[in-house]
Amino acid sequence: MTTIETVKQANLVRAGLISDKAFELIILPTEQCNFRCIYCYEDFSIGRMKPEVISGIKALLDKRSSKLNFLNLSWFGGEPLVAKDIVLEISEYATSLAAKNSHLHYSGSMTTNGYLLDINTASALANVGVTHYQISLDGPKEIHDQSRIRADGKSTFERIWNNLLAIRDSSLPVSILLRLHFNPDTFNFFDPLLEDIKREFLPDSRFSMFFKSIEHLGGPNDSSIKIFSEAEKEAANKILQSKLFGDDLKSPQDGSPTAEYVCYAARPNSLVIRANGKVNKCTVALTDERNDVGTLQPDGQLKLIPGRFAPWVRGIETLDFETLGCPLVSLPSSDEISANLSRKSVAV
């Protein structure tokens, strides 16, 4: 490929990443949760979204909808279904905007623990465009129930599994990505779950799966949780994929991220709106001040903090896929961000 062709290709990739015709809001309607997973990094210090933040989201969507071709509302938490009414209210509003703007394609997705996703809730959500889900399982019941625990200490696997079966038995137009967590202590106990998934969900194309090794993400139990090295993680992942999907052909239901995966936090057209109205870029670094890039106003205006947004999207300039894959890695420190902002001010 010539230099000119390489530049053209890079510009095409860059243009796709920064398109102002696409917009994603990752919304935390509450930062409370009905689970207390042992590896969780969240502190649950913020509660339900206030009415003024809900109004701000609607106003922001109003301002943007006439110029957009694609809008995705992605629900996160806490556990978003603890505040199901807020999810339904904002999703219904987005649905009405799409009905008014024929060029606007709206979609809704959700990261949920699945415990409250009964068939009636899934049906109500589908009616307002929320049809894509990511749900985590940590192994067979006896393994899962040791790590994904209800806030009152009770087990969770059976209800999640029954919710998944009910959705499978329905005709709802949904897609569900099962995120299968493993670590050195649980890796060798996955076979019964894989056999159940093969029997119950692989025949249904609405379901896909990928394996995710547990990591240390800053939670209070990190020191007591065993994790794989990068090499061990890759080897274990391949073994589990082979057991579930077979050796010969990559399954279309393998939802594993590709090497060219671009994190939402690296995209200029993706924002996280927290329950308190704070604007973030990343759903993991919730206590990192560098992740606090601004505030959503009740009138839909975004009040950004100078210098905080640009470091998250620096991969757009270089097209380095490690930076695009996770901009939090090697993100400039707060002092570096401040110093860089000062240098720009002096230059101006």
Side-chain angles (χ1 to χ4, degrees):
M1 185 180 292
T2 67
T3 301
I4 293 176
E5 289 172 333
T6 300
V7 171
K8 284 182 177 179
Q9 185 176 28
N11 286 337
L12 286 172
V13 172
R14 194 174 287 114
L17 293 175
I18 64 175
S19 172
D20 61 358
K21 297 297 183 182
F23 189 38
E24 176 182 50
L25 284 184
I26 301 171
I27 305 172
L28 283 64
T30 178
E31 299 188 31
Q32 296 299 307
C33 188
N34 55 337
F35 278 25
R36 289 297 182 270
C37 303
I38 62 171
Y39 42 73
C40 186
Y41 55 86
E42 298 192 40
D43 60 15
F44 316 111
S45 62
I46 300 172
R48 278 172 57 93
M49 183 172 280
K50 298 291 192 295
E52 56 267 27
V53 182
I54 298 172
S55 298
I57 292 173
K58 291 180 179 178
L60 176 60
L61 295 178
D62 269 334
K63 293 175 185 294
R64 296 296 306 276
S65 59
S66 63
K67 299 178 181 178
L68 292 175
N69 291 333
F70 301 96
L71 169 66
N72 178 248
L73 300 185
S74 182
W75 298 96
F76 199 76
E79 166 51 44
L81 290 180
V82 171
K84 179 175 69 174
D85 56 324
I86 297 176
V87 177
L88 290 170
E89 179 182 348
I90 295 175
S91 299
E92 184 175 8
Y93 194 79
T95 301
S96 71
L97 290 176
K100 294 175 185 175
N101 298 278
S102 59
H103 57 278
L104 177 59
H105 176 76
Y106 152 67
S107 62
S109 57
M110 179 180 291
T111 298
T112 172
N113 57 41
Y115 191 85
L116 299 174
L117 191 64
D118 56 62
I119 191 63
N120 291 332
T121 297
S123 298
L125 290 168
N127 288 336
V128 290
V130 184
T131 56
H132 302 274
Y133 296 94
Q134 179 174 285
I135 298 172
S136 296
L137 296 172
D138 282 13
K141 182 182 187 309
E142 61 275 14
I143 302 297
H144 173 100
D145 283 342
Q146 293 177 34
S147 57
R148 294 187 70 78
I149 307 162
R150 253 177 37 174
D152 61 5
K154 294 183 179 179
S155 63
T156 64
F157 182 90
E158 187 172 354
R159 182 159 169 178
I160 298 169
W161 190 259
N162 287 336
N163 286 343
L164 291 170
L165 291 175
I167 292 172
R168 181 207 62 187
D169 291 340
S170 76
S171 59
L172 289 176
V174 299
S175 64
I176 294 181
L177 178 62
L178 296 178
R179 174 173 163 142
L180 306 174
H181 291 155
F182 65 94
N183 66 22
D185 289 329
T186 65
F187 169 74
N188 290 318
F189 299 95
F190 255 73
D191 286 9
L193 176 65
L194 300 184
E195 291 304 314
D196 287 343
I197 288 175
K198 282 184 194 178
R199 182 181 66 254
E200 304 292 356
F201 299 116
L202 271 186
D204 191 326
S205 61
R206 294 175 297 173
F207 289 82
S208 56
M209 307 86 194
F210 82 102
F211 296 96
K212 176 66 176 174
S213 177
I214 296 298
E215 299 176 8
H216 290 161
L217 296 173
N221 299 317
D222 276 1
S223 62
S224 63
I225 297 174
K226 294 179 183 179
I227 62 172
F228 281 116
S229 68
E230 287 301 316
E232 291 170 335
K233 183 192 308 182
E234 184 176 351
N237 209 312
K238 287 181 178 178
I239 291 171
L240 292 172
Q241 284 178 309
S242 176
K243 286 184 176 182
L244 183 58
F245 300 116
D247 294 316
D248 299 329
L249 190 65
K250 180 176 172 62
S251 168
Q253 289 170 276
D254 182 354
S256 303
T258 65
E260 292 78 28
Y261 166 75
V262 177
C263 178
Y264 58 87
R267 298 175 180 267
N269 51 16
S270 176
L271 297 172
V272 177
I273 308 295
R274 298 187 64 175
N276 60 2
K278 293 290 187 181
V279 179
N280 285 189
K281 286 294 290 171
C282 174
T283 59
V284 175
L286 295 178
T287 59
D288 190 325
E289 68 172 356
R290 298 171 299 173
N291 192 25
D292 182 6
V293 301
T295 307
L296 174 65
Q297 305 299 303
D299 64 356
Q301 294 290 332
L302 293 168
K303 187 176 181 181
L304 297 182
I305 299 172
R308 292 276 181 88
F309 186 89
W312 288 96
V313 299
R314 67 195 187 280
I316 301 297
E317 182 178 353
T318 63
L319 293 183
D320 171 58
F321 275 104
E322 287 191 9
T323 305
L324 289 171
C326 183
L328 181 60
V329 175
S330 71
L331 187 73
S333 68
S334 295
D335 289 342
E336 290 171 332
I337 291 172
S338 298
N340 187 47
L341 186 60
S342 297
R343 284 194 295 270
K344 287 183 178 180
S345 298
V346 171
V348 171

